[in-house]
Amino acid sequence: MLMMSISTDEGLRRAMLWIFGDLSLSEWSRIPYGVLFILAGIIIAATRAKALNALILGDDFAYSLGFAPQRERFILFVSVGLLTAASVSLAE
């Protein structure tokens, strides 16, 4: 809101269009780079699905099933980080 209040008329117009979901300024050339990160994040998350299910039931339960809860959390945070980074970078 601060940036919108001190911006020019053109900047305010672009900000409002962006808030409403305008994609006219997006470029197709960015899509392949974002897809790489999105695919990497989805593949990591999909391969760790059993560990995530075990973590839902608690650390002790996950540990008893043979998962290292701290390591699994780190791997899943990396996956979520890749997905978030890709979506934010593609949003301009």
Side-chain angles (χ1 to χ4, degrees):
M1 292 303 291
L2 174 67
M3 293 303 292
M4 289 174 52
S5 66
I6 62 174
S7 69
T8 63
D9 289 339
E10 179 61 26
L12 181 60
R13 183 177 113 12
R14 289 182 65 186
M16 291 305 293
L17 288 174
W18 179 75
I19 288 171
F20 291 136
D22 180 38
L23 298 175
S24 64
L25 300 175
S26 297
E27 298 173 11
W28 285 99
S29 62
R30 296 180 185 178
I31 299 295
Y33 301 112
V35 168
L36 290 176
F37 285 109
I38 290 170
L39 284 177
I42 288 174
I43 289 170
I44 292 170
T47 58
R48 306 311 309 163
K50 289 182 181 180
L52 183 58
N53 287 336
L55 283 173
I56 288 171
L57 299 172
D59 286 358
D60 293 334
F61 189 77
Y63 187 75
S64 70
L65 290 176
F67 297 109
Q70 292 297 86
R71 186 182 68 134
E72 296 300 331
R73 275 196 192 92
F74 177 76
I75 292 170
L76 291 167
F77 281 138
V78 168
S79 171
V80 169
L82 287 171
L83 292 168
T84 303
S87 63
V88 170
S89 68
L90 290 175
E92 182 151 353

